[in-house]
Amino acid sequence: MMKSKIVLITGASSGIGASTARRLVNDGHKVALTARSEEKLASLVHELGDDVAVAFPADATQYSAIQQVVEDAVAHYGRLDATFANAGVGLSAAGTENGDVDEWDTMIDINIKALLWTAKATLPHLKQSQGHFVLTSSAAGRMSIKGSIYGASKWFAYGFGRNLAEEMAEWQGRCTTICPGMVNTPFFDEPKEDKLQPEDVAEAVSYALNADPRNNVREVFLMPSKMG
């Protein structure tokens, strides 16, 4: 029988994060949710049930804030078994020459620093439970895309995930890097109905977390069946 896990999800208020929360609760796990939108988190907790979900609104780009979230989550549930570092943002201006440096600054804070802060804050607790760290990179982090600063940030996430997996393996911890292609989320201004859906990524996270402990699923690479 599968053991119920306590899972912290960042970027949990919508899209992939919210879909993953629903999937994991359906799997029998309990979730601690964090994002900046208090209203959206409260609505998701109401939907899932406060016996299996709790919300701690915070800005994941601030280390002290994410550290407090982790402490509050552990105080609430008593332990932490897994983390899904999902917070991320894209760019409206493409390329290097025409890029917006203020957008770059924001993106680096969320896509890189928030990932690092989440790992640093949760690893001591995951070490105690021989737990699991899951992170969202991207297909863009596995291939070269002309002038993509966003892709470069996801290259960082991809490399960090691979390196973290080696670090965690020393104490039988597991680390999984999720690399989805285009996903139909609020990330885009227009719907992308023919692309991956948030539920597809949630399914990948579920697969990795629910794998037998002997099976360290290091990477899940997802692409839409319909290309173009």
Side-chain angles (χ1 to χ4, degrees):
M1 183 176 179
M2 184 185 66
K3 175 187 175 184
S4 177
K5 295 178 180 178
I6 307 301
V7 186
L8 171 67
I9 303 174
T10 71
S13 60
S14 64
I16 292 169
S19 290
T20 301
R22 295 184 182 101
R23 175 59 186 255
L24 295 184
V25 166
N26 189 61
D27 287 346
H29 304 306
K30 297 181 180 181
V31 294
L33 311 173
T34 187
R36 286 176 289 187
S37 176
E38 183 172 357
E39 184 177 344
K40 289 181 180 179
L41 288 177
S43 176
L44 185 55
V45 169
H46 179 73
E47 173 192 336
L48 298 174
D50 58 14
D51 56 329
V52 293
V54 63
F56 302 106
D59 181 353
T61 67
Q62 303 298 315
Y63 179 65
S64 59
I66 198 66
Q67 196 173 32
Q68 187 63 55
V69 166
V70 173
E71 291 177 6
D72 290 344
V74 171
H76 182 83
Y77 284 122
R79 68 180 197 277
L80 183 65
D81 300 309
T83 301
F84 180 34
N86 173 66
V89 69
L91 296 174
S92 62
T96 306
E97 182 179 357
N98 297 318
D100 184 319
V101 295
D102 291 329
E103 275 198 315
W104 293 352
D105 198 38
T106 298
M107 185 195 67
I108 288 169
D109 277 348
I110 298 175
N111 292 6
I112 296 178
K113 290 184 179 178
L115 172 59
L116 291 174
W117 301 166
T118 303
K120 181 172 176 59
T122 60
L123 277 182
H125 300 284
L126 297 179
K127 196 170 186 177
Q128 290 182 19
S129 62
Q130 289 187 333
H132 200 149
F133 191 90
V134 183
L135 65 120
T136 304
S137 178
S138 170
R142 302 176 82 257
M143 63 185 71
S144 298
I145 302 173
K146 183 179 67 175
S148 178
I149 306 300
Y150 166 78
S153 76
K154 290 302 186 177
W155 272 97
F156 175 88
Y158 184 72
F160 176 70
R162 291 173 66 90
N163 293 349
L164 183 61
E166 298 295 335
E167 181 179 352
M168 294 179 67
E170 293 181 351
W171 38 268
Q172 290 75 57
R174 298 189 291 174
C175 180
T176 304
T177 302
I178 308 292
C179 298
M182 190 175 290
V183 183
N184 184 31
T185 71
F187 186 92
F188 296 103
D189 294 331
E190 298 179 358
K192 305 288 185 182
E193 300 293 348
D194 60 337
K195 304 305 180 185
L196 295 171
Q197 298 300 312
E199 293 79 10
D200 298 322
V201 184
E203 183 179 31
V205 177
S206 171
Y207 164 70
L209 288 178
N210 294 333
D212 190 281
R214 68 175 175 270
N215 179 14
N216 188 352
V217 180
R218 293 287 186 98
E219 177 182 346
V220 183
F221 178 31
L222 316 170
M223 288 296 284
S225 298
K226 183 177 179 180
M227 303 302 291

